Amino acid sequence: MTDIKSLSYEELNNAVQSLGLPRFRAGQIYSWLHQKGVQGFDEMTNLSKDLRLSLCEEYFIPTVKIEDKYTSKIDDTVKYLFKLYDGEYIESVVMKYKYGYTICISSQVGCKMGCKFCASTLAGFKRNLMPSEMESQIHIAQRDLGIRISHIVLMGIGEPLDNYDNVIKFIRTVNNDNGLNISMRDITLSTCGIVPKIFDLIDENIPITLTLSLHAPNDEIRSKTMPVNDKWCVDEAIGACKEYAKKTGRRVSFEYTLINGVNDSEENAKELAGRLKGMLCHVNLIPVNDVKERGNVRSTDKSIKRFCDTLCKLGINATIRRTLGSDINASCGQLRRRKNEGDANENCC
Ligand code: SAH
């Protein structure tokens, strides 16, 4: 059985032709799958019953179902725990901003990267998500909330550049004007720094926003929390981002999670500013989210502000990220972990 929703338009066209069907059927099916986001062939009401049956014999639409939904009491943030067709769980978060709705989606079930502060990686890696499973997170949230999502961030569970081909296919599909029609500029991909894949991304010629999870000003500190740094060091990761900014003309963002006493001193801010000097970039400062098993302590408000001010004084564009949905543990991997441990309802609203 083939996942029909993960086929590109050309692949779907070939599939339709090999079933002996006229070309326009490919357009109809594509629109049902990607514009309307149907979850089953029976919803494709302008196809005959026979045609729907013959599609069912060779193809399937991998199901993504809402297992739990958490709505923040503080803001309009909604977090979903989705169950996949094979019983695995992933998470997405929908956030409301002035300019519209943004969804943060997962790209893998679990993660191999091993970052010490992150919940997604605690139980290791299970499998890659297919393009359709990434897209369905958007379709289902849109349908459930009755909204149109205009921005996507690949910052949920998983390392998107470790599922490169599926992620690129997903991005091209959501950008298709016969599908969700989301602008490339409104898509952000966050990576822990898989350097060769950043260079591959430059060659794709898609002007998405790139974010590097940096979290440290030097190799000594970064290697303590991010094992990926032993493969590609801070200079190599920032170097790849500089190249990305140069070639695409897009401003690169750096995520910097502040952990008390680990990476939040004034000295650390000065060193970071030195490394980013002259670059088209933005630093997002994020107070670390408490993950029970990790034991990281959030920096004080005073040291977060001092860090931000130091960067700005030295000419580096920096902001402190507003924490949305803090009452529902809306950071990646925490819900899936609870579900797998059997206490997912702990924070249910
Ligand atoms: N693998 C990708 C995307 C997923 S993680 C990446 O590393 O960028 C999304 C972001 O959340 C990353 O910047 C990650 O470092 C950050 N993050 C993970 N756990 C966190 C926590 N407990 N507190 C704050 N940020 C966290």
Side-chain angles (χ1 to χ4, degrees), residues 117-119 154-156 158-160 190-192 213 215 255 257 286-289 291 331-332:
F117 42 80
C118 183
L154 283 143
M155 280 195 189
E159 168 49 48
S190 179
T191 178
C192 63
S213 297
H215 306 319
E255 302 283 304
T257 295
I286 316 152
V288 75
N289 257 307
V291 174
S331 83
C332 57

Side-chain angles (χ1 to χ4, degrees), residues 98-303:
K98 274 188 235 119
Y99 50 77
Y101 288 95
T102 295
I103 189 163
C104 171
I105 65 156
S106 298
S107 58
Q108 296 180 314
V109 181
C111 186
K112 295 175 202 160
M113 298 300 137
C115 301
K116 296 282 191 312
F117 42 80
C118 183
S120 302
T121 204
L122 280 165
F125 172 77
K126 279 281 170 58
R127 69 169 174 88
N128 281 326
L129 290 188
M130 293 176 283
S132 68
E133 294 175 308
M134 290 181 245
E135 196 188 0
S136 291
Q137 297 170 54
I138 308 170
H139 282 135
I140 292 170
Q142 283 198 153
R143 197 184 266 205
D144 181 58
L145 298 171
I147 56 165
R148 179 181 180 268
I149 287 167
S150 55
H151 291 67
I152 302 171
V153 296
L154 283 143
M155 280 195 189
I157 298 172
E159 168 49 48
L161 294 186
D162 185 46
N163 184 14
Y164 188 85
D165 292 342
N166 287 343
V167 163
I168 296 297
K169 203 169 189 187
F170 157 77
I171 291 173
R172 293 193 190 282
T173 304
V174 293
N175 176 244
N176 192 309
D177 47 15
N178 295 310
L180 285 168
N181 197 13
I182 294 177
S183 159
M184 288 291 185
R185 290 173 181 274
D186 296 335
I187 300 173
T188 299
L189 184 151
S190 179
T191 178
C192 63
I194 305 194
V195 167
K197 296 288 179 193
I198 297 177
F199 284 102
D200 289 348
L201 196 59
I202 296 173
D203 294 335
E204 298 288 343
N205 243 329
I206 47 174
I208 59 168
T209 302
L210 178 69
T211 290
L212 177 74
S213 297
L214 188 57
H215 306 319
N218 58 45
D219 288 323
E220 197 195 331
I221 299 177
R222 197 167 191 257
S223 285
K224 277 188 196 144
T225 52
M226 299 181 71
V228 70
N229 199 64
D230 297 335
K231 234 170 170 179
W232 298 286
C233 66
V234 170
D235 270 347
E236 288 171 301
I238 294 178
C241 291
K242 284 187 175 162
E243 200 57 20
Y244 189 89
K246 204 166 102 191
K247 292 265 170 64
T248 61
R250 305 283 298 148
R251 188 176 79 166
V252 173
S253 291
F254 294 99
E255 302 283 304
Y256 197 104
T257 295
L258 290 155
I259 309 171
N260 193 21
V262 173
N263 63 357
D264 63 346
S265 71
E266 197 170 349
E267 240 357 87
N268 296 152
K270 284 182 183 159
E271 192 176 358
L272 179 64
R275 288 202 185 257
L276 303 181
K277 210 172 166 83
M279 188 185 169
L280 180 65
C281 71
H282 179 262
V283 178
N284 247 325
L285 297 169
I286 316 152
V288 75
N289 257 307
D290 298 331
V291 174
K292 192 173 67 189
E293 300 82 346
R294 294 307 202 188
N296 287 316
V297 179
R298 191 183 186 280
S299 298
T300 60
D301 287 347
K302 201 170 146 205
S303 49

